[in-house]
DNA sequence: AGGAAGATCTACT
DNA sequence: GTAGATCTTCCTA
């Protein structure tokens, strides 16, 4: 299993978001691993993006400086998982919106309290529940196999794009990317 | 103290 | 498929 290195994340945020489709998100529990294929992402920019957490907030902009790190925060009672990714001198992060469960499915079932596989990780708040991701994993590097959370190379999937979901003030650009015809994508269009 | 935030679940038409 | 309650942390007053 090949782990993505830091340079992968040091590119334009939307490019990284698109390229993350088909990659494998791995969660380490000591020696045990749980994993899922990334099938849906969204790109968030900094000051020019009104929907971004970094918008108008110096504190976050400073934290986003380094690429390839987790950025986790709570919205409506759900933890959402982002990975910082941007070109040098810019600001941006990629939100992981949905996974296709690969390993550790039993564990995910337990964490989610449902046996329905399609319902385990088909949403940003759901996948963090399934993989037990919360604030304690904030600002961890995802570029090392030893990390509690990291991203490995995967396969190429057919990708489509759309506008972001749930944001009040979206940009004109389409910044959501998802795998075509994958049942784990949270929404069709 | 109050409200907003990248959502989810349930209960209906 | 839509509508409403509820979820928990952080930011602003």
């Amino acid at each position: 299993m090949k782990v993505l290195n830091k340079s992968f994340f040091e590119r334009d945020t939307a490019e990284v978001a698109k390229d993350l489709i088909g990659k494998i998100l791995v969660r380490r529990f000591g020696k045990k691993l749980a994993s899922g294929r990334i099938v849906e992402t969204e790109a968030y920019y900094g000051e020019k993006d009104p929907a971004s957490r970094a918008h108008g907030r110096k504190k976050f902009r400073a934290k986003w400086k380094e690429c390839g790190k987790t950025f986790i925060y709570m919205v409506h009672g759900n933890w959402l998982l982002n990975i910082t990714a941007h070109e040098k001198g810019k600001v941006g992060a990629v939100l992981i919106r949905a996974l296709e469960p690969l390993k550790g499915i039993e564990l995910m079932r337990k964490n989610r309290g449902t046996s329905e596989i399609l319902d385990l990780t088909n949403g940003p708040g759901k996948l963090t529940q399934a993989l037990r991701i919360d604030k304690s994993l904030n600002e961890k590097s995802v570029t090392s196999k030893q990390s509690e959370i990291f991203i490995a190379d995967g396969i190429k999937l057919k990708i489509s794009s759309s506008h972001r979901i749930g944001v009040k003030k979206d940009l004109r650009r389409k910044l959501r990317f998802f795998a075509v015809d994958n049942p784990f994508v949270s929404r069709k269009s």
Side-chain angles (χ1 to χ4, degrees):
Chain A
M1 187 159 46
K2 198 179 138 214
V3 178
L4 299 181
N5 58 21
K6 205 170 157 187
S7 62
F8 178 90
F9 299 97
E10 288 175 336
R11 299 178 294 139
D12 179 70
T13 309
E15 286 295 309
V16 176
K18 192 165 57 171
D19 287 350
L20 276 175
I21 303 290
K23 300 287 189 282
I24 316 291
L25 178 75
V26 187
R27 172 78 164 97
R28 173 185 293 283
F29 298 101
K31 284 194 175 170
K32 289 195 179 168
L33 298 178
S35 64
R37 192 183 325 283
I38 299 170
V39 296
E40 186 180 350
T41 61
E42 281 176 10
Y44 285 84
Y45 287 94
E47 45 256 83
K48 273 186 263 170
D49 187 348
S52 170
R53 289 266 139 157
H55 179 68
R57 283 178 250 215
K58 258 195 197 150
K59 191 178 147 194
F60 285 118
R61 283 208 286 273
K63 288 200 170 162
W64 286 18
K65 253 168 115 177
E66 199 173 338
C67 297
K69 288 198 154 193
T70 57
F71 173 59
I72 298 167
Y73 59 91
M74 169 77 67
V75 172
H76 293 80
N78 301 284
W79 292 109
L80 305 197
L81 172 66
N82 297 248
I83 313 289
T84 53
H86 50 80
E87 293 172 297
K88 272 216 163 112
K90 299 204 176 172
V91 183
V94 177
L95 167 69
I96 311 293
R97 284 193 57 89
L99 300 176
E100 174 184 339
L102 297 175
K103 274 195 237 169
I105 293 181
E106 281 315 308
L107 180 71
M108 296 188 203
R109 280 204 173 113
K110 232 169 93 190
N111 288 343
R112 289 273 301 127
T114 175
S115 59
E116 178 53 67
I117 297 212
L118 282 171
D119 203 35
L120 290 178
T121 54
N122 64 329
K126 295 184 184 179
L127 69 92
T128 53
Q129 267 184 43
L131 296 177
R132 259 195 252 150
I133 292 168
D134 61 23
K135 197 84 195 287
S136 67
L137 292 180
N138 199 15
E139 291 179 66
K140 301 264 187 204
S141 170
V142 297
T143 52
S144 159
K145 250 186 206 173
Q146 313 311 321
S147 188
E148 287 167 285
I149 182 164
F150 60 89
I151 296 177
D153 204 2
I155 55 171
K156 276 231 171 11
L157 292 175
K158 215 174 161 193
I159 297 168
S160 183
S161 66
S162 79
H163 287 287
R164 295 179 296 187
I165 290 178
V167 314
K168 293 253 170 77
K169 297 179 181 175
D170 205 354
L171 299 174
R172 213 187 260 166
R173 261 177 89 186
K174 291 186 175 173
L175 290 172
R176 170 172 174 256
F177 305 94
F178 58 95
V180 175
D181 290 335
N182 187 296
F184 296 94
V185 172
S186 65
R187 313 236 303 232
K188 292 271 153 89
S189 60

